[in-house]
Amino acid sequence: QVQLVESGGGLVQAGGSLRLSCATSGRTFSSYAMGWFRQAPGKEREFVAAIRSGGSTSYADSVKARFTISRDNAKNTVYLQMNSLKPEDTAVYYCAASRFFGSLYRTTSYDYWGQGTQVTVSS
């Protein structure tokens, strides 16, 4: 079983920055595709960003110019650097891992999920 532990959430003013971290326990971490999703109260969980094992990345249109996903395979960790934060970015952010081929935009493509970390952006 793969364990995902997220950290780095908190309260920040609009225009500020945060970096989220997701540490994994899997011995085959380097072979996983990794994704970040977010969920606001009363809304569906939505795709934010993903990085494949080979390093290619994908972003939701709403965050493409502001967020950066990266991974450090030596530390079994994936990161989400969030800049120019807006109040509408407020949500619980979840890290996820995908072992097999599939669309990384869909929650159903992921096999393991973290517990989530709260990000709140004040106006």
Side-chain angles (χ1 to χ4, degrees):
Q1 187 70 31
V2 173
Q3 304 290 326
L4 308 181
V5 180
E6 296 153 288
S7 61
L11 175 65
V12 65
Q13 294 182 356
S17 299
L18 286 173
R19 188 178 76 158
L20 306 183
S21 299
C22 175
T24 72
S25 63
R27 296 181 64 183
T28 57
F29 170 79
S30 62
S31 69
Y32 300 159
M34 302 295 298
W36 287 96
F37 289 75
R38 66 188 182 186
Q39 187 167 23
K43 296 185 178 180
E44 298 288 332
R45 190 168 299 186
E46 66 175 357
F47 171 79
V48 176
I51 184 166
R52 305 192 74 88
S53 59
S56 63
T57 58
S58 299
Y59 297 93
D61 289 342
S62 59
V63 307
K64 185 176 182 179
R66 301 181 294 120
F67 291 10
T68 302
I69 188 171
S70 62
R71 65 194 299 160
D72 186 338
N73 289 339
K75 296 182 178 180
N76 291 342
T77 301
V78 63
Y79 304 95
L80 185 68
Q81 178 67 46
M82 305 185 294
N83 298 326
S84 301
L85 283 162
K86 305 174 181 179
E88 51 262 46
D89 294 318
T90 295
V92 177
Y93 283 71
Y94 296 90
C95 177
S98 177
R99 297 172 60 195
F100 307 112
F101 178 84
S103 172
L104 298 182
Y105 299 95
R106 298 182 175 183
T107 59
T108 53
S109 295
Y110 294 84
D111 304 286
Y112 308 103
W113 292 84
Q115 79 288 348
T117 185
Q118 177 71 47
V119 171
T120 302
V121 184
S122 62
S123 60

